[in-house]
Amino acid sequence: MASNARKRVVILGGGFGGVFTAKHLQRHAGSGVEIVLISRHNFFVFQPLLPEIAGGSINPGDGVTPLRRFLPGVAVMVAEIRELDLGAKTVHVTLGGEPGIRTVPYDQLVIALGQVVDLSRTPGLADRALVMKDVMDAFHIRNRVLGCLEDADATTEPRRRRSLLTFVVIGGGFTGVETIGEVQELVRKSLKYYPNIRPDEIRTILIQHGPRILPELPEHLATYAAEQLRRRGIEIRLNTGVEAATPAGIETGSGPPIDAETVVAAIGNAPAPLIRSLPLALEHGRIAVDRCLRVHGQDDVWALGDDAHIPLGEPNGDKVAYAPPLAQFAFREAKVLARNILAHLENRPLTAFEYRSLGTMAALGGRSGVADIMGVRISGFPAWVAWRLFYLSLLPGIATRLRVAADWLLDLVASRSIAEIRAAQSASRQVRCLAGDLVIEPGIDPGGVYVVTAGMFEVGAGPDAAADPDARAQPPRKVGPGGHFGMPLDGAATPTNEWVRAREDSTAYFIGKDDLQRLAMVSALVGRRADGAPMS
Amino acid sequence: MASNARKRVVILGGGFGGVFTAKHLQRHAGSGVEIVLISRHNFFVFQPLLPEIAGGSINPGDGVTPLRRFLPGVAVMVAEIRELDLGAKTVHVTLGGEPGIRTVPYDQLVIALGQVVDLSRTPGLADRALVMKDVMDAFHIRNRVLGCLEDADATTEPRRRRSLLTFVVIGGGFTGVETIGEVQELVRKSLKYYPNIRPDEIRTILIQHGPRILPELPEHLATYAAEQLRRRGIEIRLNTGVEAATPAGIETGSGPPIDAETVVAAIGNAPAPLIRSLPLALEHGRIAVDRCLRVHGQDDVWALGDDAHIPLGEPNGDKVAYAPPLAQFAFREAKVLARNILAHLENRPLTAFEYRSLGTMAALGGRSGVADIMGVRISGFPAWVAWRLFYLSLLPGIATRLRVAADWLLDLVASRSIAEIRAAQSASRQVRCLAGDLVIEPGIDPGGVYVVTAGMFEVGAGPDAAADPDARAQPPRKVGPGGHFGMPLDGAATPTNEWVRAREDSTAYFIGKDDLQRLAMVSALVGRRADGAPMS
């Protein structure tokens, strides 16, 4: 597809690095360069605003910038990247609505995929924790927090209440700190609508592995931030690692387990699996590039942002600093990278990336923040205003800035919405039970089958047990992992007189009756194949 | 729970009827009445605004009113209603975060559940069509429309392009007309960002079973509305029934099948299954009530809104009119119902419901509308403004009005967002293929297994076929419903040299590799049970 005359630059990823590389290329490249940007979404999401979406002060649709509007002249392709063939200079992608694989050739390739969340190092955490990677993740956290308030308002069982009203964020970096601040603010502002919940029942906990929060900031400001958060009732646990996630909550290295329905993991940034699969040298999980952002050993492949390990000077002994994964750096890297690609295509010399940070800042929720701007350290309300103005200035697109500003304004004048907006619950889902929970009551249709994945349940006979001495004599049957209870697997929906209770904290996978038929079909296939019968 | 002193009124449903009954009760009831409202969501959705959410001019979170804020003093319970025991005067519910069933006793019961969508009368439609019942449904339609534009922009295959760019709405009532108008407007406004799509490739089709659209409006206005829509390029097919939904689109009683990726069903309103299960007399699918809104044969059960068949006068021969399912009627019914419950509790006489409609109106998108207000018929821009002001006045809650007004204002000054915001795609999903689609390419990991649910696929050997004459001699293998292809079911992920192509329009259920393990577990259970082995 790429002709000899026209050179095609393919950019992988619609985050800060990719979008601004495309923007600078589009501004400065002539008609001899075709720019293709491949992104999973057709919009750019400004990661630093995600905690505000989780806190409900920004609408999920308002904090994002449609790529096509911001990048006229750039061919935007919404696709999942499946494979990268550096030898053939092609990218294999799948389009959303299409079966099969599409092949996209390139002349120059820019890798700007950003990082993924990998929680596999902590047992149970990947299944249990909410993450903050995407705009729908953030919106989901907002809705889960409000859902916990709903459920707690209706529940009298003490341990379940405690679990529903405990909000844990793991990770004391920017994202974790801003998220716990926003979640606390959302809960605090919403509580007046939940008459059955006392403010002293709420616990918000920030868990940080290291000795202080916000290690990216000067200690002075991090201390101030920690004080601010503590004053608002947020517990900060320093030097604390999470050992495991359980049905009930989390277990830390120190102290008793914490029962918490809501666990947000703001940790575990890792290179995308695609990057790990490439025959490229990685340094600290990032692609090794030279100071001109060209990938080591490659002529036509470039990388920037979170994906790239970018030296900030000539190797000098072994003391060389590397660019931190911050938006302001990616913004500047994109400028240099776009210039270098054009220089490379025209056989001009490349430029080395150099940048000195303008400062760093963090929002803490509750109209407070901390900032270090060119050596001047500010905190409280001025820092919070500075944070908003700075990010508004970085946000691509006038319409997006207008929408975000309108949301902030509305949040100042109108009360924040407590509407818990969730998609229809899937008929099949993970169910977590606390010890003692009555999962199935006698005489009521369970609506599906429960397959136990952890813990232990007891199944017993119903109210007849009291009337019938023989029934009472029979002890309850135990069902552990791999076992099941609820509806018979053949789908007969008659309620029985059985009850089921969790003996310990447990999880089960619930399969609704509508899904059972589909499963039966697949099961039959699995069975047939095991029998050696033909597949078709 | 309900003491002798305090009477508990339980309202089922958080729609117009339920919410305003609660509001009026809360205003006029003394401390001797406890009001409980049980709703699936913790917010009220104003149904007439759903088409605007589908069109992207209103944020999904802005068009809804949190119940707790609108109804201080009312005990709001977010729960799924499972069973209703009119004899024991109890409601059985499940709470979102809790296993097991909760029992809620009542003294007086108000049924205001609204209707559900039942598409089972048209083969294939329930699986295939998008519906407009909920705020997330509407938001999903917006995102699907934008997703179709994305896919079409990247696709050159003519039939797939046509299917992606054809938008069908079934049903010519208020919802259907407003939805096709809004979808057309969204597409029209977005098209400038999709350089590979020509405006003349877009088809928007409204299918109406009856001889005209908007049967609720005077013929004169309906004719005007149809003209307006046709002038904007919307095709209106009258006297047309949908016979079946297929992988490719729909089949109507007249004319060739229509290939369309996006099919919205604005038909099929039916009583909730719970209502059908009750031992109550139904008339035209609604609960028969007297003029005072009390359910026939019940002393303490009331119904209103879409659930109730409400006579508008004394039976007079057999010519009596019934209240139509319109918001303005439900609004007034709620007032009468609340008054009657309080009167009943105090042994005072009940009041009969009487109401004369103020008029009806419909928005058509593109800043146009039609209205009949107290006999005065207006159309075009004035009707559109009247529509917005009228609905703004009916919207409960100042904050919600402010947010909706702000969205409308933003839509006038800033361009509408084309960000396609979708939740992460489930690893298991229905895949629709058009005849000729290459579903699996040789040498590329299919990522999961496809179980064929309709149509026919061909599986053949890969590029080696050309090199190896023996392989070429072997004809492709056919796989039909119940068969499968893709990854081996034991989960080995090695890409093979097989290709798979759809022989005809077909559907398959794709199960991602991560889901295979869970399925294997359930399959093992099904197998074990079939063998008669113990369950635990």
Side-chain angles (χ1 to χ4, degrees), chain B residues 328 355-361 371-378:
Chain B
Q328 48 179 314
Y355 182 65
R356 183 187 290 266
S357 166
L358 291 175
T360 43
M361 46 182 98
D372 174 355
I373 301 170
M374 290 182 281
V376 181
R377 290 159 190 198
I378 58 174

Side-chain angles (χ1 to χ4, degrees), chain A residues 148-167 194-203 259-261 434, chain B residues 98 102:
Chain A
C148 284
L149 297 183
E150 287 298 337
D151 292 341
D153 192 82
T155 298
T156 51
E157 204 279 298
R159 191 171 163 218
R160 180 165 290 277
R161 276 183 82 85
R162 208 160 50 233
S163 164
L164 287 166
L165 296 175
T166 301
F167 304 91
Y194 295 89
N196 299 332
I197 304 175
R198 296 189 321 274
D200 66 348
E201 291 183 280
I202 303 291
R203 286 181 76 192
D259 283 359
E261 178 65 25
L434 299 179
Chain B
E98 213 177 74
R102 187 78 72 87

Side-chain angles (χ1 to χ4, degrees), chain A residues 116-145:
Chain A
V116 297
V117 174
D118 176 7
L119 301 175
S120 59
R121 267 190 287 179
T122 308
L125 197 60
D127 273 348
R128 187 65 172 76
L130 306 170
V131 294
M132 279 283 278
K133 246 347 209 193
D134 218 326
V135 65
M136 284 311 275
D137 294 338
F139 191 53
H140 181 61
I141 289 173
R142 171 195 174 277
N143 291 318
R144 268 319 288 140
V145 168

